[in-house]
Amino acid sequence: MRQLVEVKVKPKSVKNITNGYPLLAKEAVETSGVTMDEGSILRLVDSSGRYLATAYYGLQNKGIGWVLTRKEQEKIDTTFFVKKLSAAVARRKNLYETKDTTAFRVFNGEGDGIGGLIIDYYDGFYVVNWYSEGIHSFREAIYQALNEVVSVRGLYEKLRFNTNGQYVEQDDYVSGEKGEFPLIVFENGMKYAVDLNDGAMTGIFLDQRNVRKALRDQYSDGKTVLNTFSYTGAFSVAAALGGAVKTTSVDVAKRSLPKTIEQFAVNEIDYEAQDIKVMDVFDYFRYAARHDLKFDVVVLDPPSFARTKKITFSTAKDYPKLLQDTLKITSDDGVIIASTNNASFNMKKFKTFIDKAFTETNTRYKILEEHQLPEDFTVPNNYPEFNYLKVVFIKVMK
Ligand code: SAH
């Protein structure tokens, strides 16, 4: 039986909860004397016992659980999940209907009303990401609901239970048709090869869709494009399809080479005419500077934290330096596409990093466009801090 626990919200956090803040922070509740298990339903009350909201308990790096409803009568059952999932699907009606895009996010956790649950769509297949054992304990009801709401060609899931959000290795196949991988999906007419059963990631980061489109449509024609931290080369493909004279992809992971070749190949791009380097980006900067290489467009999309044998890198600390290294190998009127998914700072702060990098090197610049999460990565109303993606297109004016 699922436990129902009454939990007191500390006075200073009551307003947060009644305003609709979805995340339950450890500091927000009185935990002494209460036992909560993963998946326990929490009846959140104020100090006088008045009902505030219903949440579930599930440990994540961000907090101890998520608010599910502020209606006292609402039960957390299959009907509840059907309601949330169908609302999310309805919001993505356009994406479901668009033939030239067949991969997108269907359910974005707290933005769609259930923190800790992420569902992505890949050409009829669904990939469910469980971010805590707590939310995973609702698995049966959620799968029943999903099958009621949409027709599922095949189902895969990723367990991300570790409190640091790390993926738990397993066979991710759940039910329905078994995919043949690589599966080819479309994004604004571009093809991407994905594998839904090969570790935590699938081969493409769906949140960069609008950025890839902008890169292809407005920034690539006739240009040389350097894609750093390139992973499977998704940005390089967009640039090549947009008419780049040459792309260079740099990633330290050995697998990035065959994966990038594959992405070019499925788009019928001659990968031998492109440069794909398995290399530390920081070594590549030195190499490129030594050889006096300059690129018209540079894509910078580092992981929030990276540790190699030689260096530890954190975007929160080192982004200005990264931009300065990039500037040295960017053409005089080039464009830098600076991206970060570090949730610990916002767009305003990110722009101060950009400004610092350019001011310190006495280089003028102009911001051409900005992107945050695309429309299918729904963010809770009034809580922009959940909009972790920040991408700025910067025109260099040396
Ligand atoms: N820009 C990519 C996603 C990047 S994911 C895209 O849009 O698809 C981060 C990538 O950075 C990973 O592939 C990882 O292998 C790579 N990486 C991490 N540290 C690195 C380093 N020091 N040098 C080169 N690549 C690095």
Side-chain angles (χ1 to χ4, degrees), residues 190-203:
M190 299 180 265
K191 289 182 186 168
Y192 285 106
V194 298
D195 189 332
L196 309 182
N197 201 2
D198 185 27
M201 298 184 296
T202 60

Side-chain angles (χ1 to χ4, degrees), residues 264-306:
F264 281 128
V266 299
N267 285 285
E268 283 150 47
I269 298 160
D270 177 11
Y271 59 82
E272 288 182 339
Q274 314 294 327
D275 250 347
I276 308 170
K277 302 228 179 272
V278 176
M279 195 169 177
D280 190 308
V281 165
F282 301 96
D283 290 336
Y284 184 78
F285 283 139
R286 279 187 285 273
Y287 163 89
R290 237 186 4 253
H291 291 82
D292 219 14
L293 302 182
K294 300 271 185 203
F295 297 89
D296 300 323
V297 178
V298 183
V299 180
L300 265 185
D301 182 29
S304 293
F305 305 96

Side-chain angles (χ1 to χ4, degrees), residues 201 203-205 207-208 212 227-235 250-254 256 279-283 299-303 305-308 311 313 341:
M201 298 184 296
I204 185 169
F205 288 99
D207 55 0
Q208 297 277 16
R212 284 187 284 267
N227 181 10
T228 61
F229 308 94
S230 55
Y231 180 44
T232 65
F235 284 122
V250 184
D251 196 292
V252 76
K254 287 203 178 64
S256 66
M279 195 169 177
D280 190 308
V281 165
F282 301 96
D283 290 336
V299 180
L300 265 185
D301 182 29
F305 305 96
R307 186 172 292 142
T308 57
I311 56 118
F313 171 86
N341 59 7

Side-chain angles (χ1 to χ4, degrees), residues 44-153:
L44 304 179
V45 297
D46 66 11
S47 49
S48 59
R50 189 171 57 98
Y51 172 87
L52 300 171
T54 307
Y56 76 87
Y57 182 77
L59 281 182
Q60 254 183 263
N61 54 349
K62 297 177 180 172
I64 62 165
W66 295 93
V67 172
L68 294 172
T69 179
R70 280 178 288 143
K71 294 188 197 122
E72 190 164 9
Q73 305 309 326
E74 192 159 46
K75 284 210 205 64
I76 308 308
D77 54 12
T78 309
T79 312
F80 172 82
F81 293 121
V82 166
K83 191 177 121 189
K84 292 289 174 196
L85 288 173
S86 46
V89 166
R91 250 175 249 138
R92 278 100 175 155
K93 190 168 176 286
N94 285 342
L95 281 164
Y96 271 101
E97 284 170 0
T98 311
K99 291 254 173 348
D100 67 357
T101 296
T102 59
F104 53 89
R105 180 146 296 182
V106 171
F107 199 92
N108 195 42
E110 64 279 2
D112 285 295
I114 307 173
L117 174 69
I118 301 266
I119 308 178
D120 291 327
Y121 175 92
Y122 293 90
D123 194 27
F125 290 92
Y126 285 79
V127 179
V128 177
N129 286 271
W130 305 101
Y131 278 86
S132 70
E133 283 183 53
I135 189 64
H136 187 251
S137 72
F138 295 95
R139 183 176 183 266
E140 250 175 76
I142 289 174
Y143 282 159
Q144 200 183 323
L146 184 65
N147 279 298
E148 262 180 54
V149 173
V150 290
S151 108
V152 179
R153 179 175 167 193

Side-chain angles (χ1 to χ4, degrees), residues 197-270:
N197 201 2
D198 185 27
M201 298 184 296
T202 60
I204 185 169
F205 288 99
L206 298 175
D207 55 0
Q208 297 277 16
R209 181 175 57 243
N210 296 339
V211 180
R212 284 187 284 267
K213 184 174 189 308
L215 172 62
R216 180 193 63 184
D217 295 348
Q218 297 164 56
Y219 295 92
S220 297
D221 199 19
K223 307 290 188 195
T224 54
V225 178
L226 171 65
N227 181 10
T228 61
F229 308 94
S230 55
Y231 180 44
T232 65
F235 284 122
S236 311
V237 166
L241 290 174
V245 286
K246 185 173 170 186
T247 68
T248 303
S249 308
V250 184
D251 196 292
V252 76
K254 287 203 178 64
R255 302 188 47 187
S256 66
L257 176 65
K259 290 283 180 190
T260 304
I261 290 177
E262 180 177 63
Q263 298 295 21
F264 281 128
V266 299
N267 285 285
E268 283 150 47
I269 298 160
D270 177 11

Side-chain angles (χ1 to χ4, degrees), residues 336-356:
I336 298 173
I337 302 178
S339 169
T340 177
N341 59 7
N342 191 331
S344 75
F345 56 86
N346 62 15
M347 181 62 104
K348 198 168 160 214
K349 181 88 186 174
F350 187 41
K351 286 190 188 163
T352 67
F353 295 162
I354 295 169
D355 193 65
K356 182 174 191 305

Side-chain angles (χ1 to χ4, degrees), residues 308-309 316 392:
T308 57
K309 273 172 237 148
V392 180

